[in-house]
Amino acid sequence: MNLSTPFIHRPVATTLLTVAIALAGIIGFLVLPVAALPEIDYPTIAISATLPGASPEIMASSVATPLERQFGRIAGITEMSSSSYLGSTSITLQFDLNRNIDGAARDVQAAINAARSYLPANLPTNPTYKKVNPADLPIVQIALTSQIYDRGRLYDAASTIMQQKLSQIAGVGQVSVGGSSLPAVRVDINPTQLNSYGLGLQDVKNMLAQQNSNVPKGQIWDDGTTADILANDQLLKADYYRPLIVGYHNGAAIKLSDIANVQDSVEDIRAAGFFDGKPCVTLQIFRQPNANIISTTNRIQDALPSLKASVPAGIDMVVTGTRAATILTSSARW
């Protein structure tokens, strides 16, 4: 008796078994996930820090170096690289394949906290990290344009509304906003005029810091009631800055508008994006490790109508590119 004997004696059972195996193969083929490349994701964490106006040399020495010293103490790092640009620094940490990415993220956060005292005091925000492979291309790219709003308002809507909502979608690892920066008031000082009044740049800096200080104002109370004195000292428009007094010269008050050109602008005037010849703000969406590109893209596409409704009506939203289209086109040829 050999292996084929039972199948020869039972032709009906053999036929049914063959059909069942064929059907299982067909069903398994139809539900196979589709991706451009095999799913091999190294545990990688990208850290970013910003300091508007700082040169690449300052970013490398005062921001990247203290962080790298702390990251070097984390176990399981196989590669660490950093790049410093005008006003920003990015550090990439790659771990062993057997290193748990969640545990590595906790170690990275602890290292950032330990390095905070060595970072510049005027760093606007703490360094942030993302569990995403920097070598991976964005799966969806979205452009925001408007005939009404400027780049600052577009960036504000993208970073405060759309970025958060997109990050909550399953499979999305990182949402990067580019093409501009947050709205800000720019003070372009005329050094000749400033010197003629006997003032220095430090005088202007101290005045601006004092005018934007958010400190308690005090209390008013009587025998039975206590009331807090609250006031918002944050100046958000150029018109509020122009009449500020910087100092005095020959008994006359020197206003900020006398020595500087004050205008509403953005934090970084050198960041700009264009789509179809019009100014735009871009959103680049990256997937999480092991997340399927097509499934994640479909969830993003389904969320676009609600995203459109959450931003001002004067903002137009256009999907400029998606990796799912190329993957589906390639798979259709087979």
Side-chain angles (χ1 to χ4, degrees):
M1 180 177 178
N2 54 32
L3 182 62
S4 59
T5 300
F7 299 97
I8 295 175
H9 292 165
R10 297 175 176 82
V12 176
T14 302
T15 302
L16 294 176
L17 179 62
T18 303
V19 173
I21 294 175
L23 289 175
I26 294 173
I27 295 173
F29 178 78
L30 294 177
V31 299
L32 280 175
V34 181
L37 297 171
E39 297 290 345
I40 303 177
D41 293 307
Y42 290 91
T44 306
I45 294 180
I47 301 95
S48 61
T50 59
L51 182 60
S55 65
E57 292 79 9
I58 293 178
M59 294 299 300
S61 61
S62 63
V63 179
T65 301
L67 289 172
E68 289 173 349
R69 290 198 185 105
Q70 297 297 327
F71 293 150
R73 304 175 182 178
I74 300 177
I77 293 180
T78 60
E79 182 179 345
M80 178 168 57
S81 61
S82 65
S83 300
S84 297
Y85 310 95
L86 179 64
S88 65
T89 287
S90 61
I91 302 175
T92 303
L93 304 178
Q94 185 172 302
F95 297 85
D96 292 330
L97 286 174
N98 57 358
R99 185 71 156 90
N100 180 266
I101 188 66
D102 295 325
R106 289 191 292 268
D107 292 341
V108 169
Q109 182 61 63
I112 292 175
N113 296 336
R116 189 62 182 91
S117 59
Y118 302 100
L119 298 176
N122 59 340
L123 201 70
T125 58
N126 286 336
T128 59
Y129 69 91
K130 295 290 185 181
K131 294 180 288 185
V132 66
N133 187 356
D136 203 0
L137 297 175
I139 60 174
V140 177
Q141 299 181 60
I142 301 174
L144 302 182
T145 60
S146 177
Q147 300 291 341
I148 303 174
Y149 303 108
D150 56 13
R151 283 197 183 97
R153 292 290 301 275
L154 291 175
Y155 190 94
D156 188 29
S159 60
T160 58
I161 300 176
M162 296 189 61
Q163 186 178 32
Q164 298 179 15
K165 290 183 176 295
L166 288 170
S167 298
Q168 297 171 0
I169 298 176
V172 174
Q174 181 182 9
V175 181
S176 175
V177 183
S180 185
S181 56
L182 289 173
V185 176
R186 300 193 66 86
V187 180
D188 298 327
I189 300 175
N190 186 334
T192 304
Q193 195 72 16
L194 184 68
N195 183 65
S196 66
Y197 290 119
L199 300 173
L201 294 176
Q202 191 64 33
D203 298 323
V204 180
K205 178 181 177 181
N206 294 337
M207 182 274 297
L208 292 176
Q210 292 174 2
Q211 294 296 330
N212 278 283
S213 61
N214 192 11
V215 296
K217 304 302 181 293
Q219 291 181 328
I220 300 176
W221 70 90
D222 56 21
D223 294 336
T225 305
T226 300
D228 294 328
I229 302 176
L230 303 176
N232 185 4
D233 288 338
Q234 303 299 307
L235 305 180
L236 304 178
K237 296 293 183 180
D239 292 339
Y240 302 152
Y241 282 88
R242 295 189 181 101
L244 296 179
I245 297 176
V246 181
Y248 294 88
H249 182 72
N250 293 334
I254 307 303
K255 298 180 180 179
L256 186 61
S257 58
D258 297 330
I259 60 171
N261 178 27
V262 186
Q263 58 183 341
D264 293 318
S265 182
V266 293
E267 292 179 351
D268 187 0
I269 59 176
R270 295 173 179 84
F274 293 90
F275 173 71
D276 198 17
K278 297 181 291 185
C280 77
V281 168
T282 61
L283 292 103
Q284 295 185 333
I285 306 172
F286 298 84
R287 68 184 178 97
Q288 288 182 349
N290 299 322
N292 183 263
I293 295 178
I294 294 179
S295 300
T296 305
T297 301
N298 290 337
R299 286 191 286 267
I300 295 173
Q301 296 279 7
D302 295 339
L304 289 182
S306 62
L307 288 173
K308 175 65 176 176
S310 63
V311 298
I315 297 179
D316 299 323
M317 185 186 310
V318 180
V319 177
T320 60
T322 171
R323 288 183 62 189
T326 58
I327 296 173
L328 292 174
T329 302
S330 300
S331 62
R333 297 175 181 176
W334 293 88

